[in-house]
Every structure is written in structure tokens, then in C-alpha cells.
Amino acid sequence: MSLLPKSCFAVLLITGCGRGDPAPAGVPEVPVHPHIRVTAPSAGALIATPLTVAGEARGSWYFEASFPVRLVDGSGRQLAIVPAQAKGEWMTSNFVPFEVQLSFTPPPGGGGFLILQKDNPSGLPEHADSLVIPVRFR
């Protein structure tokens, strides 16, 4: 059983579809999502603890001004989960900046995934959404 959301795999497969020029060889493209934009870290980044995650998300991504940010290793084992807090008025359809710091014990080598989940207090699958960014551990 995978600990990654089902949408994780679709996001990784469609990254870069419909874009102009492809990324240079060996440089992963940044996943694109209409409701959330991440400025740090970039896809495929070599990360260490503490990890600062920054960007902006539409107000509908938040609930009570926060949403969960998870870091998992390549096998889906959770390394950290921290709520990202809105840095502005979140009750809007516009983008609202966020920043969060994750502390974790790096696994021995390999990669993992940073998962930014839309807060979904209803638990209904039709309201679930996430952005998944592949990362590498230092």
C-alpha cells in the first residue's frame, strides 16, 4: 500500500505537458498546478534539514489559513508533516503566499517527495488535491 496520494502519480506523469520548450537535459521540470505555485524547493532539488518551502496558493487551497505539507522518502515513509500558514488574507480566490520550515532526519540516500495537500476537512475525495515535487536527500 502506497502512502502517496493517488493524484501524486498523475501529477508526476503530466508534468510539462502542453508547455513550450522542454527543460534542458537532466533538469526536472517544476510541476504546474492551477491552484498552487511553489518557488522553493525546485523539482529534483538536493535538500537538507531544515527545509524551507515557499510559494503561493489560492485561498481555496487553505482551511482556517493552513494546509498540510508532507515530506516522504522514496518508499512513501513519512519524514515530516507541518501545516503551511497563509501569510495574508486566505478567504479569497486569489493567490496567497505561504512559507513553512520542515525538520527531518534524512533517509540514507535516494529521493523522495514533497507533497503539498489541499486542506480537505470534509474528507471527501472529490475535494482532495495535491502537488507533488520530487526531491533528493543530501
Side-chain angles (χ1 to χ4, degrees):
M1 178 175 127
S2 174
L3 297 177
L4 298 175
K6 288 180 184 174
S7 62
C8 162
F9 301 103
V11 169
L12 292 175
L13 292 175
I14 65 170
T15 297
C17 291
R19 302 247 216 124
D21 297 330
V27 177
E29 291 195 27
V30 175
V32 176
H33 196 288
H35 301 290
I36 187 166
R37 302 173 185 150
V38 176
T39 55
S42 60
L46 190 59
I47 64 169
T49 191
L51 170 65
T52 299
V53 180
E56 57 185 9
R58 292 201 183 272
S60 60
W61 198 265
Y62 300 88
F63 179 73
E64 299 296 334
S66 71
F67 64 87
V69 177
R70 297 174 49 219
L71 181 64
V72 299
D73 67 13
S75 65
R77 186 175 57 93
Q78 186 166 286
L79 305 174
I81 183 167
V82 179
Q85 290 295 136
K87 294 178 109 182
E89 176 53 50
W90 67 278
M91 297 207 42
T92 177
S93 60
N94 297 324
F95 282 95
V96 180
F98 67 85
E99 186 173 296
V100 64
Q101 211 171 56
L102 285 80
S103 294
F104 59 96
T105 301
F113 300 96
L114 182 64
I115 304 168
L116 295 91
Q117 294 179 287
K118 177 182 178 187
D119 206 335
N120 181 15
S122 71
L124 297 173
E126 61 266 26
H127 298 299
D129 204 354
S130 64
L131 175 69
V132 178
I133 300 172
V135 294
R136 298 174 298 135
F137 298 106
R138 207 174 284 221

